[in-house]
Amino acid sequence: MSGKYLAATDQNFKTEILESDKVALVDFWAAWCGPCMMLGPVIEELAGDYEGKAVIAKVNVDENPNTAAQYGIRSIPTMLIFKNGQVVDQMVGAMPKNMIAKKIDEHIG
Amino acid sequence: MEKEIRDVVIIGTGPAGYTAAIYTGRANLKPLVIEGVQPGGQLMITTEIENFPGFPEGINGPELMSRMRQQAERFNAEFAYGSVVEADLSRSPFSLTLDDGREIVARSLIIATGANAKWLGIPSEDRYRGRGVSACATCDGFFFKECNVFVVGGGDTAMEEALYLTKFASKVTLVHRREEFRASKIMSLRAGKNPKIATILNVVVDEILGDGSKVTGIRLKDVRSGELIDHVCDGVFVAIGHAPNAGLFSGQLAIDDYGYIETKKSSTETSVQGVFACGDVQDYTYRQAVTAVGSGCMAAVDAERFLESIR
């Protein structure tokens, strides 16, 4: 089931991701990146599947260069998983939904 | 889970897969197309395609693929999200298992799984992937504004990557293991004329250097003297060619020494009757969007004839 992801920004990253009491998956993307566009629908589905259980977010690197720079993003799509304000996992490149879900589940634990 | 029986299942959604879908769809065979991990295939990460006939001004890769998909949808091709994790070609009809557990049975199968970028295969490359090591300039060039980057490879892809990176980077160095590039003349000339591009020949990458969190340099080894030289850089783009995605079928279909699925001359028939292969997964020689389209059409025609023969 597809759902609405959180559009994280340089402004709200701290409150919505780092200070969240839930595990957060953050997808760094841009409109000009082919693999990012392929991953888009997967993120929407995850947002539906994990509603209430985890934060599923996207960061547009064009509009939010500070957050991308802060986490040393040099390749997109990159997905980071945050728990208690810390990066606990990293995935580079588009991947199938079940593999991403498995990673999130490991950290929800 | 309920098994579905299909006349035609197509695996892959690059130019070959989409073309096979257009033709089998139009022949009313209601093809099911398994999208794979990279829907749209390799052209989704390219920019301008200058040599696809019918587009004199050029067309960008994602746009072309989206048009092919729409054309397949017009003829009622059905798309399934996900990839095939298991294939049993030992008896007909063939059975396939998708990553979400869905099982599909196919009277005929068209394999159009394409090829993927090759990596160098050294541990430091893995360590810094996404931290300065990339195989996609159009995806990641943006992060290297005013940076010093290296491109590894000597083919057309390497030239394209290097040229694309000059839009962002302050300096691009092409490194290649041979005495000269094997890229086409037009691409080598374009790269050679660009003032931001430098070239180092007869070297291989020994190690990608980093500080633990990002790439800081590259160690090159001269293939003639064995001498190791370190260069400072911020990024390394790997463009050393492609490997066919045929692993799923090894042991079930005849595969050549380079890993490509073998097809009979002037057809797309594989070593198993009813299984056809088209596009880059069976094409070591040409590897073009147009040749993939051509062989996708051949596979559709071959599959249609095969289905007629068993009815």
Side-chain angles (χ1 to χ4, degrees):
Chain A
M1 185 192 68
S2 156
K4 188 80 194 110
Y5 57 85
L6 169 81
T9 63
D10 284 349
Q11 287 72 37
N12 72 10
F13 201 81
K14 186 162 173 278
T15 53
E16 299 287 341
I17 305 294
L18 300 181
E19 292 172 4
S20 171
D21 56 0
K22 296 193 181 74
V23 165
L25 173 89
V26 182
D27 167 33
F28 291 83
W29 73 288
W32 37 258
C33 150
C36 298
M37 302 318 277
M38 295 173 213
L39 192 60
V42 177
I43 298 295
E44 279 170 31
E45 283 199 23
L46 289 167
D49 294 351
Y50 284 92
E51 204 182 326
K53 290 183 276 184
V55 177
I56 307 295
K58 286 173 71 161
V59 172
N60 183 316
V61 298
D62 274 328
E63 292 158 12
N64 304 286
N66 297 345
T67 307
Q70 191 183 339
Y71 291 99
I73 304 298
R74 298 223 118 172
S75 187
I76 52 173
T78 286
M79 287 170 279
L80 298 181
I81 297 180
F82 289 85
K83 193 175 183 176
N84 303 322
Q86 300 293 320
V87 177
V88 290
D89 224 320
Q90 177 197 337
M91 291 165 271
V92 179
M95 46 179 78
K97 183 180 150 190
N98 59 347
M99 279 175 70
I100 305 169
K102 213 171 129 195
K103 289 267 192 191
I104 301 172
D105 291 342
E106 277 172 25
H107 297 290
I108 291 181
Chain B
M1 211 177 275
E2 185 92 0
K3 286 186 186 176
E4 320 163 36
I5 299 194
R6 293 281 181 155
D7 276 334
V8 183
V9 172
I10 298 164
I11 312 177
T13 47
Y18 281 146
T19 306
I22 293 166
Y23 272 77
T24 51
R26 205 163 166 271
N28 226 2
L29 294 171
K30 300 184 181 63
L32 176 70
V33 189
I34 320 285
E35 293 186 8
V37 280
Q38 196 175 326
Q42 293 177 71
L43 289 186
M44 293 299 284
I45 57 170
T46 60
T47 48
E48 197 80 348
I49 301 167
E50 295 179 336
N51 53 9
F52 200 91
F55 297 93
E57 298 84 18
I59 180 166
N60 79 44
E63 165 78 16
L64 179 64
M65 297 323 292
S66 146
R67 283 170 177 245
M68 286 191 195
R69 187 190 179 101
Q70 287 166 33
Q71 201 168 350
E73 282 169 344
R74 181 182 155 198
F75 297 114
N76 299 320
E78 188 191 325
F79 289 89
Y81 176 78
S83 18
V84 177
V85 289
E86 238 181 83
D88 182 1
L89 311 182
S90 62
R91 61 208 153 92
S92 169
F94 313 110
S95 48
L96 303 171
T97 310
L98 302 195
D99 51 1
D100 62 2
R102 183 171 168 189
E103 287 190 48
I104 296 156
V105 175
R107 293 191 182 95
S108 72
L109 185 65
I110 295 176
I111 300 170
T113 47
N116 265 352
K118 269 197 242 174
W119 293 91
L120 295 166
I122 52 178
S124 50
E125 167 188 68
D126 227 27
R127 199 174 315 136
Y128 293 109
R129 224 184 124 187
R131 303 280 172 191
V133 174
S134 170
C136 176
T138 56
C139 308
D140 304 335
F142 171 81
F143 299 102
F144 295 86
K145 283 178 190 149
E146 297 308 313
C147 283
N148 178 3
V149 299
F150 276 62
V151 176
V152 185
D156 275 355
T157 310
M159 304 300 131
E160 275 163 32
E161 300 266 286
L163 285 161
Y164 185 80
L165 286 167
T166 60
K167 293 187 195 178
F168 304 98
S170 51
K171 190 182 174 199
V172 179
T173 307
L174 264 167
V175 298
H176 184 46
R177 63 196 157 111
R178 296 189 205 283
E179 185 71 44
E180 57 185 51
F181 295 131
R182 60 177 165 74
S184 61
K185 209 163 186 180
I186 178 169
M187 292 307 295
S188 305
L189 272 173
R190 268 190 213 171
K193 273 198 293 196
N194 192 301
K196 278 189 178 178
I197 299 180
T199 299
I200 306 176
L201 295 169
N202 297 306
V203 287
V204 291
V205 180
D206 187 66
E207 201 73 70
I208 291 164
L209 310 169
D211 62 5
S213 67
K214 63 176 190 301
V215 169
T216 57
I218 188 168
R219 178 170 296 153
L220 300 176
K221 183 182 174 183
D222 191 302
V223 291
R224 297 160 302 185
S225 64
E227 189 188 0
L228 296 172
I229 300 172
D230 290 358
H231 298 263
V232 172
C233 72
D234 309 293
V236 176
F237 287 78
V238 180
I240 53 170
H242 293 84
N245 298 320
L248 193 61
F249 312 104
S250 73
Q252 305 197 69
L253 294 177
I255 289 182
D256 74 12
D257 294 345
Y258 301 98
Y260 291 80
I261 295 177
E262 281 183 6
T263 49
K264 294 190 181 120
K265 201 167 164 60
S266 305
S267 98
T268 61
E269 284 173 39
T270 66
S271 56
V272 172
Q273 214 185 15
V275 179
F276 307 91
C278 52
D280 282 8
V281 74
Q282 53 85 55
D283 175 14
Y284 172 76
T285 317
Y286 304 104
R287 292 178 283 192
Q288 300 298 303
V290 199
T291 50
V293 161
S295 71
C297 163
M298 289 164 63
V301 173
D302 290 344
E304 194 183 345
R305 287 191 184 145
F306 167 77
L307 289 167
E308 275 164 19
S309 75
I310 59 169
R311 279 216 174 94

